[in-house]
């Protein structure tokens, strides 16, 4: 089984946490746009992890908030 290339994580202000795997960044970007996650007023934390490097990219919130 192949490891997904990207893991998108998001958290709502009510504390509910979600994640979704993507094989391609383009598919992740389409999902972000279609779901309106970048501009959703109740999203408190939004990030993705690049599997190849282990790097976390913060889109909303701070890295300190994401690891707390």
């Amino acid at each position: 089984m192949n490891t997904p290339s990207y893991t998108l994580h998001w958290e709502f202000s009510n504390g509910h946490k979600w994640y979704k795997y993507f094989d391609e960044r383009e598919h992740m970007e389409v999902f972000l746009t279609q779901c309106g996650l970048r501009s959703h007023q109740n999203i408190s934390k939004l990030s993705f992890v690049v599997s190849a490097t282990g790097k976390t990219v913060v889109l909303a919130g701070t890295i300190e908030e994401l690891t707390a």
Side-chain angles (χ1 to χ4, degrees):
M1 183 172 157
N2 292 338
T3 302
S5 299
Y6 301 92
T7 307
L8 178 66
H9 299 265
W10 66 100
E11 183 175 332
F12 289 95
S13 55
N14 65 6
H16 290 159
K17 299 177 182 181
W18 298 87
Y19 65 92
K20 184 167 176 62
Y21 300 116
F22 298 90
D23 290 327
E24 296 181 27
R25 183 167 180 166
E26 180 181 347
H27 295 160
M28 181 182 67
E29 295 290 345
V30 168
F31 179 82
L32 282 165
T33 300
Q34 288 179 342
C35 293
L37 292 179
R38 289 184 192 268
S39 59
H40 196 289
Q41 62 183 352
N42 293 325
I43 296 288
S44 60
K45 301 174 189 175
L46 180 63
S47 67
F48 67 89
V49 177
V50 181
S51 297
T53 63
K55 179 181 176 183
T56 299
V57 179
V58 178
L59 303 171
T62 65
I63 194 67
E64 291 80 15
E65 291 173 331
L66 294 171
T67 57

